[in-house]
Amino acid sequence: MQGGTIAVNTSRQREFVDLTAELAQAVAATGVDEGVLHVYNPHTTAGLTINEGADPAVRRDILAALERAVPDIDFHHLEGNSPAHVMASLMGSSVTVLVEQGRLRLGTWQKIFFCEFDGPRSRKVWWRVSAAG
Amino acid sequence: MQGGTIAVNTSRQREFVDLTAELAQAVAATGVDEGVLHVYNPHTTAGLTINEGADPAVRRDILAALERAVPDIDFHHLEGNSPAHVMASLMGSSVTVLVEQGRLRLGTWQKIFFCEFDGPRSRKVWWRVSAAG
Amino acid sequence: MQGGTIAVNTSRQREFVDLTAELAQAVAATGVDEGVLHVYNPHTTAGLTINEGADPAVRRDILAALERAVPDIDFHHLEGNSPAHVMASLMGSSVTVLVEQGRLRLGTWQKIFFCEFDGPRSRKVWWRVSAAG
C-alpha cells in the first residue's frame, strides 16, 4: 500500500477542481498494477465527487443545484459556513476507484473532482493505493 | 483481488435496479472468504446506493424526494440532463460492502441498487473483491 | 483483515453520534499499522458521515438542512419514515478512513458520525481494517 498527498489551491468560494491527471500520475508512480485507489478529503467544508469532466457546465450546474437545495437559512454554527458543511456531507469525504494495469479505471466521461465549498483556501487531499492481494 | 462487470439494462428515465443477487453470486464465485466488495458505477448520470429492498415504495419515494430536491431549473449543460448529474453525485459513484464467510454482509433490509437517472440505457457496473490480507 | 461491531444507542428521532473515539480504539487494538478502515452501517434509516466535531451546532445544522431538503411530502411507503430512507442514501452507508502508524488519519476538525434519522433505536455499526499489502 502506497500513498501521498496532493495540494489543491482553490480560487473561489465554491468550485470543483479536477484531480484526475495528478491522481493518475501518482498511481502510475506506485508501480501497482491491480488494486483500489482511495482518495480522502480531510476538510469539513469540502468534499470529493466523480462526475462529468467534458462540459464545465456540469460542474457549475451541480454547484447551483447544491446551493438551491441547501440555502443559507437560519443556521446555528456561528462561522456562517453551515451550507458548506452540509454540502461536504452530501458529496462525501472519500471516493474509491479501481486500478487496472497500473491505470485508474474511470468511465468515459468521468473525472475525479475536489469540491471546494468554502474557499478560496489552500487544501489537500490524501490518497492511498491498496494493491491486489 | 478478483472482479468483473455486471450489465444493467434500465427501462425508464429514472429507476432503481436491485443488483444484490448478481453481486452475491459473483462474490461467491470468487472463492474469497473474508474481504471487502467495491462496486463502482462508471456513468455520470447514474449512481449506486444501499437502501431498503422489501417495500418497492421506498425506492419510488427516494426518487420522488431527489426530484423535489433537484428540480430542473435553468441549468447551463445543454444536454438537458443536469438533474441526473446532480443526483449521481448525491448518491455517489461507489458502495463498499463487507464480505464474510464468502457472503455479502448486508443489513436485514438492505439491498444494493443501481440508480438510473437518465435512462432507459444499457449500463454496466464494475466490481472487485479485496481479500483479507 | 480484522473487524468488529460497535453498538450505538440513539435517544432522539434524529441525531448524530460521534463514533471516533471507539473506532480509534478498535483500530489500535487490531495492531494494524498501515491500512484502510471501512465503517459500514447496516440500517436503512441511518447513515454515516464525516464532518466537524468541534461545534455541536454543525451537526444540528446538517440535520436542519436535510429536513428542509427532504420534507415529509406525500410519500408511498406506509411506515411513514420515507424522509429517513432518503437521508440515509444522501449520507451513504459507509465511510473509508486511512490508517497510519496504527491511528485513524482524520483532518483536524473531522469526526466520524453515525447519523440516526428514525430513532430512538438500538443500532450497530460494522467495521473492518484492511492492512497494507
Side-chain angles (χ1 to χ4, degrees), chain C residues 3 22 25 31 48 53 61 63 66 77 79 84 86 91-92 104-105 118 125 129:
Chain C
E22 253 180 297
Q25 201 174 358
L48 291 165
D61 287 350
L63 280 170
L66 288 174
H77 183 45
E79 287 182 51
V86 181
M91 292 297 98
L104 296 180
R105 197 177 173 203
D118 193 35
V125 160
V129 173

Side-chain angles (χ1 to χ4, degrees), chain A residues 1 5 38 40-44 69-71 73 75-79 82 85-86 88-90 93-94 126 128, chain C residues 34-36 38 49-52 55 57-58 61-62 65 68-69 90-91 96 99-100 105-107 110 131-132:
Chain A
M1 213 178 272
T5 298
H38 298 290
Y40 186 83
N41 155 56
H43 308 286
T44 59
V70 189
I73 55 170
F75 286 120
H76 290 87
H77 182 45
L78 295 177
E79 286 183 51
S82 281
H85 287 287
V86 180
S89 278
L90 288 174
S93 49
S94 66
W126 303 331
R128 185 170 289 178
Chain C
E34 307 285 319
V36 175
H38 298 290
T49 198
I50 294 176
N51 214 303
E52 185 187 315
D55 180 2
V58 171
D61 287 350
I62 296 174
R68 194 184 180 289
L90 288 174
M91 292 297 98
T96 296
V99 175
E100 258 186 42
R105 197 177 173 203
L106 292 165
Q110 287 185 322

Side-chain angles (χ1 to χ4, degrees), chain A residues 54-130:
Chain A
D55 180 3
V58 171
R59 284 162 256 177
R60 289 205 308 270
D61 287 351
I62 296 174
L63 279 171
L66 288 174
E67 289 175 352
R68 195 186 179 287
V70 189
D72 200 351
I73 55 170
D74 188 27
F75 286 120
H76 290 87
H77 182 45
L78 295 177
E79 286 183 51
N81 58 357
S82 281
H85 287 287
V86 180
M87 292 173 192
S89 278
L90 288 174
M91 292 297 98
S93 49
S94 66
V95 292
T96 296
V97 180
L98 307 185
V99 175
E100 257 186 43
Q101 302 180 331
R103 290 161 55 172
L104 296 181
R105 196 177 175 203
L106 293 164
T108 311
W109 305 107
Q110 286 184 323
K111 299 288 180 189
I112 305 168
F113 291 107
F114 178 82
C115 313
E116 173 65 81
F117 294 125
D118 193 37
R121 297 207 203 196
S122 291
R123 305 287 208 173
K124 55 186 179 288
V125 159
W126 303 331
W127 61 272
R128 185 170 289 178
V129 173
S130 193

